[in-house]
Amino acid sequence: MNTVATESRPDGYVITPPAQAILSIAGSEEQFPVHRVYCVGRNYAAHAVEMGHDPDKEPPFFFQKNPDNLIPDASSFPYPKASKDVHHEVELLVALKSGGEDIAVADALDCVYGYGVSLDMTRRDLQGEMKKLGRPWEIGKAFEKSAPAGPLYPVSQVGHPVEGDIWLKINDDMRQSGDLNQMIWKTAEMIAILSTLFTLQPGDVIMTGTPAGVGPVQRGDRMHAHVAGVGDLQLTVD
């Protein structure tokens, strides 16, 4: 049997370790290291309806993107291969500084470091195929550079946003428009529920769902995402 020799490395690794996924922090040279990326599905009632579901009958559900799917301080989004129907979804991002298991709702916001603006870009055609087959969504959700994100704003600067505009424009045309107070499951509730399913860690981030109006993007489009009190994210589709 032929074998392939692996050269020894002075750091003890057999390959070069992957780079740490990070998010920037507004007004600071410091960076936020990302552990996991949790996403909340259909967390705005109008979006649940437009996707063909009844928000009054569904408990919260979660899926994940990979940490290296994040594009920190993105100025562009590369249109992905293997899809002809890529959709925008603007979301409030929550970054955790602490975690644990079975966190009480009353204690959950103590885990939050800060908030940011993010986009859950979705290969909708591939996601739709997986739905029909009853298969996981990763092929539609967790592709390379599928999560553009702006800088984080610490709680000490912005508090805990509970209401205010969340919207997305394409080429200056409003496509998505909602209010943070329309989230079915609020930030503290999401953290508490997730902590019954996973051991949350410092560095975990949660993408909290999107308002109605999701739709396709094309190469050359200019996307402008906004979350009141948290900031803006502007980028082009390459």
Side-chain angles (χ1 to χ4, degrees):
M1 181 178 66
N2 294 325
T3 60
V4 177
T6 301
E7 294 184 6
S8 62
R9 294 171 50 92
D11 57 13
Y13 293 107
V14 297
I15 61 172
T16 302
Q20 169 68 56
I22 59 96
L23 291 172
S24 67
I25 298 171
S28 173
E29 295 297 320
E30 295 181 312
Q31 297 177 321
F32 183 90
V34 177
H35 176 242
R36 290 180 181 169
V37 180
Y38 297 100
C39 304
V40 185
R42 297 191 286 268
N43 198 30
Y44 287 73
H47 175 57
V49 170
E50 77 177 348
M51 299 303 289
H53 299 272
D54 184 346
D56 295 326
K57 293 183 178 180
E58 291 189 341
F61 75 94
F62 305 93
F63 58 92
Q64 292 187 30
K65 286 179 179 280
N66 300 311
D68 62 359
N69 294 156
L70 291 164
I71 318 176
D73 303 325
S75 60
S76 64
F77 165 73
Y79 200 97
K81 61 182 181 180
S83 177
K84 297 181 179 179
D85 188 24
V86 178
H87 283 204
H88 54 77
E89 298 187 12
V90 58
E91 311 207 1
L92 173 71
L93 182 144
V94 180
L96 302 187
K97 64 182 180 181
S98 60
E101 296 180 334
D102 300 320
I103 300 167
V105 172
D107 299 326
L109 292 183
D110 293 339
C111 299
V112 179
Y113 170 79
Y115 298 88
V117 183
S118 63
L119 293 172
D120 171 14
M121 302 303 293
T122 302
R123 293 193 287 201
R124 192 72 75 199
D125 45 0
L126 301 186
Q127 182 196 29
E129 292 175 11
M130 295 303 101
K131 287 181 178 180
K132 291 177 183 177
L133 297 170
R135 294 177 179 173
W137 291 5
E138 280 81 1
I139 193 172
K141 289 287 191 178
F143 57 92
E144 283 70 18
K145 299 186 176 180
S146 60
L152 296 178
Y153 289 81
V155 170
S156 60
Q157 295 181 20
V158 300
H160 296 286
V162 295
E163 61 182 1
D165 293 339
I166 175 171
W167 52 254
L168 182 135
K169 295 179 180 180
I170 300 290
N171 303 324
D172 298 323
D173 294 330
M174 188 69 75
R175 298 292 179 87
Q176 291 184 261
S177 181
D179 194 290
L180 295 175
N181 65 18
Q182 297 168 343
M183 286 196 294
I184 299 169
W185 303 95
K186 311 306 182 185
T187 299
E189 294 172 320
M190 286 183 272
I191 294 170
I193 294 168
L194 269 171
S195 75
T196 69
L197 303 170
F198 303 93
T199 301
L200 297 181
Q201 301 284 345
D204 286 344
V205 301
I206 304 170
M207 299 174 70
T208 58
T210 195
V214 300
V217 298
Q218 307 295 332
R219 288 182 175 86
D221 281 346
R222 292 177 288 107
M223 295 189 289
H224 182 179
H226 172 83
V227 177
V230 179
D232 295 82
L233 178 62
Q234 299 187 59
L235 60 165
T236 57
V237 181
D238 291 342

